[in-house]
Structures are given as C-alpha cells and as structure tokens.
Amino acid sequence: MNPDASRLWRAPRWALSVLLACLAMVGPFSIDTYLPAFSGIAAALDATPVQMQQTLSAYLLGFAFMNLFHGALSDCFGRRPVVLVGLAIFTAASVGCALAGSIGQLVFWRTVQGMSAGAGIVVSRAIIRDMFPPADAQRVMSQVTLFFGVAPAIAPMVGGFLFVHADWHSIFWFLTFVGTALLVSNWRLLPETLHPTLVQPFHVRALLREYWRLCSSPRFMMLVLASGVPFNGMFLYVLATPVFLGEHLHFAPTQFFWFFLCTIGGIMAGAAVSGRLAGRMSPQRQIMRGFRIMLAVSVVNIALNLLAPLSAFWALPLIGLFSFGWALMVPVVTLLVLDQVPERRGMASSLQACIGSAANGLVAGLLVPLVMHSTIALAAASAGLMLVGLAAWYGVRRSVVAQA
C-alpha cells in the first residue's frame, strides 16, 4: 500500500467508500437505467429485438476492450487522470446516445460509453489496495459493493419513470447529468493514490510482456474466472430482463424495480456480511461459503422451474439469494487477484475486469438470445456459469492456501 495513505484521505473511511462506489456504479447504472425503455427505443428507432440486444453487447464488449488499458494506464500516469478522462468521455458519449437518430448511431455511442465507463470500477479497485492493508481493504471493498448496490436498484425505477413521463432520450440526458456530477466531484475530492516510487514507465512492449505474464499464470487466470464468471449466473437474468420480466412474469416497465430490489438487495447483504467476516474467517472458507450458497440456489431454481408454475414470489428471491452468495465471496477473490502482482495492481484489475466484461459481452450477445425465451434454460445456464467459477476455484485453492 501507499506509505503516505494516512495523509491522502483524512475524511472518514466510509466517505472514500462512497466516492469509489459512485465510480464503480457507472457501468451497471448505464445498463439498468435504459432496460425498461427497450420496447420504446425499438419502436422509436425502428429496431428489431436483435438490434436492441446489440446495444447491450456493444456496450459490454467496448467495456471489456478498454478495461485492458484503464488499469495499466493508471499504473503509468496515475489513478486520478485516468478516472477524470474516463468520466469526461462517458459524459460526452451519453450526450451522443441522447441525440442518436438511428439504431446504428445508438450502438456506436453505446460502444463509446462502454469503453469509458470501465475506468471507474477498474481504477477504484487499485485505489482501495493502494490505501489499505488486506483486512481493511476487504472491508472497504465490501462497503463499495454495498453502496454501489444502491444505484442499480434505483436505476430501473428512474429509467422507467423517465420513459413513462418523458421519453427514452431523457434517460441518456439523465446519464449525462450523472457523468457531469461525478466528473466534478472526483476532480475536487479524489486524491492521487499511486506512490511516485510505484509509477511504471509507459512502454508498449513492456506492457505486452506483463500482460502475457499474467495471462500465462494459471493461478491468476483461475482466480479471475472464479470471481467473474459466477456473476453472470445473476447477470444473465439482468440481460434478459425485458423478456424475463415482460413476457414470462408479465411485469410492466414500472414494476421492473422489484427484480432489481431483490438482486441488488442480495448483493448489498452479501457485501455487508463479507465486510463483517473480514479478519474473522479465512478467505478460503468465506469463498467456499459463497459458492455453496450459489450451488444450493441453482439446484432449487432448476427444480422449481421444472416442477412448479412460474411465480415472481419464488423466482425473484432465488435470484437475490444467488446474488448474496456471489457478493459474499467476490471481495475476497478480487483482493487475491490484486495481490498476485502487487507492483502492477492497476494492470491486474484491468485484466480481471476485461475478462469478466468479455464474459458478460459473450453472455449478452450469444447466450441470452438462446435461453431467454425459456425459464428452464435460463436456470440451467445460470447454474452452468456458476459451476465454471466453482471449478476454477477448486483448481487454484490449494496453491492460494500455500501462498498465504
């Protein structure tokens, strides 16, 4: 950690958690806000459902691509400049989305949004480890997850309200306001947390060698898969929201918030418990506890989808419990990822976010269209994604214990 950390931030720790959570929430907020307006945007721009799905996958793939560079650039030029430039581009892209007159223009500006939105979540992870030792870092990471959960819960309600009472353009004007507010607040409050002795020279070949070193490390890659892929077991339902809620559960756009309340409520509760367990339970036990919860929920979800009539009264709480299990273990796994290369935490965070976002993009573009019209297929796909993460953790857990 930065030896000058105690002098960089003198306000309460929770205030830094809120600032970093606001950075981390830009990405999911950009997704959840406009989901209730899918049908309205499609009608206004004469777009097919497949084209509308491309506005999601283009965003996620742009998010994944640039995540390769946000953290590495922050290792070279500092955390603060990368955050501020990312927020400025995100704000400009939101204006472009609001003014889009065709589905092609919207896809383009959504791609730019995705490419810039990742700066906050990638760099905020590195900032946390710059500022705090392991146990405190886990608590702050959990607090960030806790606070960040509020925004996606509110986002669909805001998006549904704006769509019903104004039009879909107003959603992206709202995101423009969010980007502007974050840019101003971070310009005034965010300190530079990268210590001068840890600044890395910006050489393309050296960066590529470091990327190759990380990508060829089985331990690093397994930890990244263990943290990122299970998230898609829940995110699958988020991406399928228009069909899952609109067609299967017959929700109106203004009712979508019930789904997000369950999902984000699970994340917030899991993050809160994870923070309380920091220093009290070994990381390995905490990670396994999270996976056991997700495994049990997946089995019950498949069984009920096969045997019982579909009902929001059991479908939504199960997704919330799955989210709880993921949030219980992911702060711990994320810190394990960052500590694999303490001299290159920004790059490690970049690569972790890139692989996770690439998985999100593939799920959005390939898997969701295949399974979203069947709740049984959705449940099976969710379980399969969780099992990939569990297998990755089993493949690396002994070496992690030995390292500790």
Side-chain angles (χ1 to χ4, degrees), residues 316-341:
L316 300 188
L318 282 178
I319 298 171
L321 284 173
F322 187 99
S323 304
F324 175 88
W326 175 80
L328 181 65
M329 64 90 177
V330 78
V332 188
V333 183
T334 298
L335 291 173
L336 290 175
V337 170
L338 297 179
D339 285 345
Q340 297 305 303
V341 278

PDB file of all heavy atoms in Angstrom, residues 316-341:
ATOM      1  N   LEU A 316     -37.882 -14.379  -7.987  1.00  0.00           N
ATOM      2  CA  LEU A 316     -37.062 -13.212  -7.673  1.00  0.00           C
ATOM      3  C   LEU A 316     -36.226 -13.389  -6.400  1.00  0.00           C
ATOM      4  O   LEU A 316     -35.044 -13.047  -6.391  1.00  0.00           O
ATOM      5  CB  LEU A 316     -37.939 -11.961  -7.575  1.00  0.00           C
ATOM      6  CG  LEU A 316     -38.717 -11.581  -8.842  1.00  0.00           C
ATOM      7  CD1 LEU A 316     -39.373 -10.215  -8.666  1.00  0.00           C
ATOM      8  CD2 LEU A 316     -37.822 -11.583 -10.072  1.00  0.00           C
ATOM      9  N   PRO A 317     -36.795 -13.943  -5.290  1.00  0.00           N
ATOM     10  CA  PRO A 317     -35.954 -14.163  -4.106  1.00  0.00           C
ATOM     11  C   PRO A 317     -34.786 -15.118  -4.358  1.00  0.00           C
ATOM     12  O   PRO A 317     -33.702 -14.931  -3.784  1.00  0.00           O
ATOM     13  CB  PRO A 317     -36.932 -14.747  -3.081  1.00  0.00           C
ATOM     14  CG  PRO A 317     -38.262 -14.203  -3.477  1.00  0.00           C
ATOM     15  CD  PRO A 317     -38.225 -14.169  -4.977  1.00  0.00           C
ATOM     16  N   LEU A 318     -34.978 -16.116  -5.231  1.00  0.00           N
ATOM     17  CA  LEU A 318     -33.874 -17.035  -5.522  1.00  0.00           C
ATOM     18  C   LEU A 318     -32.719 -16.316  -6.215  1.00  0.00           C
ATOM     19  O   LEU A 318     -31.548 -16.556  -5.913  1.00  0.00           O
ATOM     20  CB  LEU A 318     -34.369 -18.199  -6.390  1.00  0.00           C
ATOM     21  CG  LEU A 318     -35.147 -19.300  -5.677  1.00  0.00           C
ATOM     22  CD1 LEU A 318     -35.615 -20.349  -6.676  1.00  0.00           C
ATOM     23  CD2 LEU A 318     -34.292 -19.954  -4.590  1.00  0.00           C
ATOM     24  N   ILE A 319     -33.054 -15.418  -7.140  1.00  0.00           N
ATOM     25  CA  ILE A 319     -32.000 -14.646  -7.800  1.00  0.00           C
ATOM     26  C   ILE A 319     -31.299 -13.749  -6.785  1.00  0.00           C
ATOM     27  O   ILE A 319     -30.078 -13.560  -6.828  1.00  0.00           O
ATOM     28  CB  ILE A 319     -32.590 -13.817  -8.956  1.00  0.00           C
ATOM     29  CG1 ILE A 319     -33.208 -14.744 -10.006  1.00  0.00           C
ATOM     30  CG2 ILE A 319     -31.520 -12.947  -9.606  1.00  0.00           C
ATOM     31  CD1 ILE A 319     -33.994 -14.032 -11.085  1.00  0.00           C
ATOM     32  N   GLY A 320     -32.071 -13.208  -5.826  1.00  0.00           N
ATOM     33  CA  GLY A 320     -31.476 -12.406  -4.764  1.00  0.00           C
ATOM     34  C   GLY A 320     -30.526 -13.217  -3.892  1.00  0.00           C
ATOM     35  O   GLY A 320     -29.449 -12.734  -3.519  1.00  0.00           O
ATOM     36  N   LEU A 321     -30.892 -14.465  -3.567  1.00  0.00           N
ATOM     37  CA  LEU A 321     -30.015 -15.316  -2.762  1.00  0.00           C
ATOM     38  C   LEU A 321     -28.748 -15.692  -3.517  1.00  0.00           C
ATOM     39  O   LEU A 321     -27.663 -15.765  -2.943  1.00  0.00           O
ATOM     40  CB  LEU A 321     -30.773 -16.583  -2.345  1.00  0.00           C
ATOM     41  CG  LEU A 321     -31.798 -16.420  -1.227  1.00  0.00           C
ATOM     42  CD1 LEU A 321     -32.594 -17.710  -1.047  1.00  0.00           C
ATOM     43  CD2 LEU A 321     -31.100 -16.041   0.086  1.00  0.00           C
ATOM     44  N   PHE A 322     -28.878 -15.928  -4.821  1.00  0.00           N
ATOM     45  CA  PHE A 322     -27.702 -16.200  -5.648  1.00  0.00           C
ATOM     46  C   PHE A 322     -26.757 -14.998  -5.603  1.00  0.00           C
ATOM     47  O   PHE A 322     -25.539 -15.151  -5.441  1.00  0.00           O
ATOM     48  CB  PHE A 322     -28.135 -16.487  -7.085  1.00  0.00           C
ATOM     49  CG  PHE A 322     -27.026 -16.951  -7.989  1.00  0.00           C
ATOM     50  CD1 PHE A 322     -26.872 -18.302  -8.261  1.00  0.00           C
ATOM     51  CD2 PHE A 322     -26.148 -16.056  -8.573  1.00  0.00           C
ATOM     52  CE1 PHE A 322     -25.839 -18.750  -9.091  1.00  0.00           C
ATOM     53  CE2 PHE A 322     -25.124 -16.484  -9.401  1.00  0.00           C
ATOM     54  CZ  PHE A 322     -24.964 -17.833  -9.664  1.00  0.00           C
ATOM     55  N   SER A 323     -27.321 -13.798  -5.722  1.00  0.00           N
ATOM     56  CA  SER A 323     -26.516 -12.578  -5.661  1.00  0.00           C
ATOM     57  C   SER A 323     -25.825 -12.440  -4.307  1.00  0.00           C
ATOM     58  O   SER A 323     -24.678 -11.981  -4.222  1.00  0.00           O
ATOM     59  CB  SER A 323     -27.402 -11.352  -5.915  1.00  0.00           C
ATOM     60  OG  SER A 323     -28.075 -11.459  -7.150  1.00  0.00           O
ATOM     61  N   PHE A 324     -26.521 -12.845  -3.240  1.00  0.00           N
ATOM     62  CA  PHE A 324     -25.935 -12.810  -1.896  1.00  0.00           C
ATOM     63  C   PHE A 324     -24.686 -13.685  -1.843  1.00  0.00           C
ATOM     64  O   PHE A 324     -23.643 -13.266  -1.327  1.00  0.00           O
ATOM     65  CB  PHE A 324     -26.966 -13.297  -0.877  1.00  0.00           C
ATOM     66  CG  PHE A 324     -26.432 -13.425   0.522  1.00  0.00           C
ATOM     67  CD1 PHE A 324     -26.462 -12.338   1.389  1.00  0.00           C
ATOM     68  CD2 PHE A 324     -25.899 -14.623   0.976  1.00  0.00           C
ATOM     69  CE1 PHE A 324     -25.958 -12.456   2.685  1.00  0.00           C
ATOM     70  CE2 PHE A 324     -25.398 -14.748   2.266  1.00  0.00           C
ATOM     71  CZ  PHE A 324     -25.438 -13.656   3.122  1.00  0.00           C
ATOM     72  N   GLY A 325     -24.776 -14.898  -2.361  1.00  0.00           N
ATOM     73  CA  GLY A 325     -23.627 -15.800  -2.347  1.00  0.00           C
ATOM     74  C   GLY A 325     -22.453 -15.246  -3.128  1.00  0.00           C
ATOM     75  O   GLY A 325     -21.299 -15.337  -2.697  1.00  0.00           O
ATOM     76  N   TRP A 326     -22.753 -14.643  -4.299  1.00  0.00           N
ATOM     77  CA  TRP A 326     -21.672 -14.060  -5.104  1.00  0.00           C
ATOM     78  C   TRP A 326     -21.008 -12.906  -4.366  1.00  0.00           C
ATOM     79  O   TRP A 326     -19.774 -12.821  -4.311  1.00  0.00           O
ATOM     80  CB  TRP A 326     -22.233 -13.591  -6.441  1.00  0.00           C
ATOM     81  CG  TRP A 326     -21.216 -12.876  -7.275  1.00  0.00           C
ATOM     82  CD1 TRP A 326     -20.241 -13.447  -8.042  1.00  0.00           C
ATOM     83  CD2 TRP A 326     -21.046 -11.457  -7.398  1.00  0.00           C
ATOM     84  NE1 TRP A 326     -19.472 -12.472  -8.635  1.00  0.00           N
ATOM     85  CE2 TRP A 326     -19.943 -11.236  -8.257  1.00  0.00           C
ATOM     86  CE3 TRP A 326     -21.716 -10.355  -6.872  1.00  0.00           C
ATOM     87  CZ2 TRP A 326     -19.505  -9.955  -8.602  1.00  0.00           C
ATOM     88  CZ3 TRP A 326     -21.274  -9.077  -7.209  1.00  0.00           C
ATOM     89  CH2 TRP A 326     -20.187  -8.900  -8.068  1.00  0.00           C
ATOM     90  N   ALA A 327     -21.796 -12.005  -3.782  1.00  0.00           N
ATOM     91  CA  ALA A 327     -21.236 -10.839  -3.098  1.00  0.00           C
ATOM     92  C   ALA A 327     -20.493 -11.229  -1.833  1.00  0.00           C
ATOM     93  O   ALA A 327     -19.598 -10.493  -1.383  1.00  0.00           O
ATOM     94  CB  ALA A 327     -22.352  -9.846  -2.762  1.00  0.00           C
ATOM     95  N   LEU A 328     -20.826 -12.358  -1.248  1.00  0.00           N
ATOM     96  CA  LEU A 328     -20.129 -12.820  -0.045  1.00  0.00           C
ATOM     97  C   LEU A 328     -18.681 -13.181  -0.352  1.00  0.00           C
ATOM     98  O   LEU A 328     -17.780 -12.923   0.456  1.00  0.00           O
ATOM     99  CB  LEU A 328     -20.859 -14.033   0.543  1.00  0.00           C
ATOM    100  CG  LEU A 328     -20.289 -14.642   1.822  1.00  0.00           C
ATOM    101  CD1 LEU A 328     -20.378 -13.651   2.983  1.00  0.00           C
ATOM    102  CD2 LEU A 328     -21.012 -15.940   2.159  1.00  0.00           C
ATOM    103  N   MET A 329     -18.449 -13.752  -1.536  1.00  0.00           N
ATOM    104  CA  MET A 329     -17.097 -14.242  -1.812  1.00  0.00           C
ATOM    105  C   MET A 329     -16.282 -13.337  -2.729  1.00  0.00           C
ATOM    106  O   MET A 329     -15.055 -13.356  -2.703  1.00  0.00           O
ATOM    107  CB  MET A 329     -17.162 -15.662  -2.406  1.00  0.00           C
ATOM    108  CG  MET A 329     -17.841 -15.795  -3.751  1.00  0.00           C
ATOM    109  SD  MET A 329     -16.652 -15.589  -5.122  1.00  0.00           S
ATOM    110  CE  MET A 329     -17.679 -15.865  -6.552  1.00  0.00           C
ATOM    111  N   VAL A 330     -16.941 -12.487  -3.548  1.00  0.00           N
ATOM    112  CA  VAL A 330     -16.172 -11.775  -4.584  1.00  0.00           C
ATOM    113  C   VAL A 330     -15.197 -10.727  -4.045  1.00  0.00           C
ATOM    114  O   VAL A 330     -14.110 -10.549  -4.628  1.00  0.00           O
ATOM    115  CB  VAL A 330     -17.123 -11.181  -5.643  1.00  0.00           C
ATOM    116  CG1 VAL A 330     -17.797  -9.906  -5.148  1.00  0.00           C
ATOM    117  CG2 VAL A 330     -16.373 -10.920  -6.944  1.00  0.00           C
ATOM    118  N   PRO A 331     -15.475 -10.006  -2.943  1.00  0.00           N
ATOM    119  CA  PRO A 331     -14.434  -9.078  -2.454  1.00  0.00           C
ATOM    120  C   PRO A 331     -13.143  -9.789  -2.084  1.00  0.00           C
ATOM    121  O   PRO A 331     -12.048  -9.266  -2.307  1.00  0.00           O
ATOM    122  CB  PRO A 331     -15.090  -8.430  -1.228  1.00  0.00           C
ATOM    123  CG  PRO A 331     -16.558  -8.564  -1.454  1.00  0.00           C
ATOM    124  CD  PRO A 331     -16.714  -9.884  -2.142  1.00  0.00           C
ATOM    125  N   VAL A 332     -13.271 -10.994  -1.544  1.00  0.00           N
ATOM    126  CA  VAL A 332     -12.091 -11.756  -1.130  1.00  0.00           C
ATOM    127  C   VAL A 332     -11.298 -12.204  -2.355  1.00  0.00           C
ATOM    128  O   VAL A 332     -10.076 -12.067  -2.417  1.00  0.00           O
ATOM    129  CB  VAL A 332     -12.500 -12.979  -0.288  1.00  0.00           C
ATOM    130  CG1 VAL A 332     -11.271 -13.647   0.293  1.00  0.00           C
ATOM    131  CG2 VAL A 332     -13.458 -12.580   0.821  1.00  0.00           C
ATOM    132  N   VAL A 333     -12.003 -12.739  -3.364  1.00  0.00           N
ATOM    133  CA  VAL A 333     -11.315 -13.208  -4.566  1.00  0.00           C
ATOM    134  C   VAL A 333     -10.663 -12.046  -5.302  1.00  0.00           C
ATOM    135  O   VAL A 333      -9.550 -12.165  -5.824  1.00  0.00           O
ATOM    136  CB  VAL A 333     -12.302 -13.957  -5.497  1.00  0.00           C
ATOM    137  CG1 VAL A 333     -11.560 -14.510  -6.710  1.00  0.00           C
ATOM    138  CG2 VAL A 333     -12.991 -15.090  -4.766  1.00  0.00           C
ATOM    139  N   THR A 334     -11.339 -10.906  -5.346  1.00  0.00           N
ATOM    140  CA  THR A 334     -10.776  -9.732  -6.027  1.00  0.00           C
ATOM    141  C   THR A 334      -9.464  -9.298  -5.395  1.00  0.00           C
ATOM    142  O   THR A 334      -8.492  -8.979  -6.091  1.00  0.00           O
ATOM    143  CB  THR A 334     -11.789  -8.572  -5.998  1.00  0.00           C
ATOM    144  OG1 THR A 334     -12.965  -8.953  -6.712  1.00  0.00           O
ATOM    145  CG2 THR A 334     -11.201  -7.326  -6.638  1.00  0.00           C
ATOM    146  N   LEU A 335      -9.404  -9.292  -4.062  1.00  0.00           N
ATOM    147  CA  LEU A 335      -8.157  -8.919  -3.395  1.00  0.00           C
ATOM    148  C   LEU A 335      -7.069  -9.954  -3.639  1.00  0.00           C
ATOM    149  O   LEU A 335      -5.885  -9.596  -3.780  1.00  0.00           O
ATOM    150  CB  LEU A 335      -8.393  -8.753  -1.893  1.00  0.00           C
ATOM    151  CG  LEU A 335      -9.251  -7.544  -1.510  1.00  0.00           C
ATOM    152  CD1 LEU A 335      -9.561  -7.558  -0.017  1.00  0.00           C
ATOM    153  CD2 LEU A 335      -8.544  -6.242  -1.886  1.00  0.00           C
ATOM    154  N   LEU A 336      -7.434 -11.229  -3.721  1.00  0.00           N
ATOM    155  CA  LEU A 336      -6.447 -12.258  -4.061  1.00  0.00           C
ATOM    156  C   LEU A 336      -5.882 -12.024  -5.457  1.00  0.00           C
ATOM    157  O   LEU A 336      -4.686 -12.211  -5.701  1.00  0.00           O
ATOM    158  CB  LEU A 336      -7.082 -13.651  -3.968  1.00  0.00           C
ATOM    159  CG  LEU A 336      -7.433 -14.165  -2.573  1.00  0.00           C
ATOM    160  CD1 LEU A 336      -8.152 -15.503  -2.661  1.00  0.00           C
ATOM    161  CD2 LEU A 336      -6.177 -14.299  -1.715  1.00  0.00           C
ATOM    162  N   VAL A 337      -6.748 -11.606  -6.382  1.00  0.00           N
ATOM    163  CA  VAL A 337      -6.294 -11.299  -7.740  1.00  0.00           C
ATOM    164  C   VAL A 337      -5.287 -10.153  -7.719  1.00  0.00           C
ATOM    165  O   VAL A 337      -4.202 -10.236  -8.317  1.00  0.00           O
ATOM    166  CB  VAL A 337      -7.495 -10.941  -8.649  1.00  0.00           C
ATOM    167  CG1 VAL A 337      -7.005 -10.377  -9.977  1.00  0.00           C
ATOM    168  CG2 VAL A 337      -8.366 -12.163  -8.897  1.00  0.00           C
ATOM    169  N   LEU A 338      -5.610  -9.067  -7.025  1.00  0.00           N
ATOM    170  CA  LEU A 338      -4.733  -7.894  -6.995  1.00  0.00           C
ATOM    171  C   LEU A 338      -3.397  -8.203  -6.329  1.00  0.00           C
ATOM    172  O   LEU A 338      -2.358  -7.656  -6.721  1.00  0.00           O
ATOM    173  CB  LEU A 338      -5.426  -6.744  -6.262  1.00  0.00           C
ATOM    174  CG  LEU A 338      -6.710  -6.203  -6.899  1.00  0.00           C
ATOM    175  CD1 LEU A 338      -7.286  -5.085  -6.048  1.00  0.00           C
ATOM    176  CD2 LEU A 338      -6.445  -5.705  -8.312  1.00  0.00           C
ATOM    177  N   ASP A 339      -3.418  -9.079  -5.328  1.00  0.00           N
ATOM    178  CA  ASP A 339      -2.186  -9.363  -4.596  1.00  0.00           C
ATOM    179  C   ASP A 339      -1.274 -10.351  -5.314  1.00  0.00           C
ATOM    180  O   ASP A 339      -0.167 -10.628  -4.831  1.00  0.00           O
ATOM    181  CB  ASP A 339      -2.520  -9.883  -3.195  1.00  0.00           C
ATOM    182  CG  ASP A 339      -2.990  -8.761  -2.266  1.00  0.00           C
ATOM    183  OD1 ASP A 339      -2.777  -7.583  -2.616  1.00  0.00           O
ATOM    184  OD2 ASP A 339      -3.591  -9.062  -1.221  1.00  0.00           O
ATOM    185  N   GLN A 340      -1.722 -10.890  -6.453  1.00  0.00           N
ATOM    186  CA  GLN A 340      -0.823 -11.738  -7.240  1.00  0.00           C
ATOM    187  C   GLN A 340       0.315 -10.917  -7.834  1.00  0.00           C
ATOM    188  O   GLN A 340       1.415 -11.424  -8.030  1.00  0.00           O
ATOM    189  CB  GLN A 340      -1.607 -12.431  -8.368  1.00  0.00           C
ATOM    190  CG  GLN A 340      -2.701 -13.377  -7.914  1.00  0.00           C
ATOM    191  CD  GLN A 340      -2.198 -14.446  -6.971  1.00  0.00           C
ATOM    192  OE1 GLN A 340      -1.280 -15.200  -7.297  1.00  0.00           O
ATOM    193  NE2 GLN A 340      -2.775 -14.497  -5.778  1.00  0.00           N
ATOM    194  N   VAL A 341       0.046  -9.647  -8.145  1.00  0.00           N
ATOM    195  CA  VAL A 341       1.074  -8.759  -8.722  1.00  0.00           C
ATOM    196  C   VAL A 341       0.978  -7.396  -8.039  1.00  0.00           C
ATOM    197  O   VAL A 341       0.467  -6.440  -8.617  1.00  0.00           O
ATOM    198  CB  VAL A 341       0.912  -8.625 -10.251  1.00  0.00           C
ATOM    199  CG1 VAL A 341       1.530  -9.790 -10.981  1.00  0.00           C
ATOM    200  CG2 VAL A 341      -0.556  -8.488 -10.638  1.00  0.00           C
TER     201      VAL A 341
END
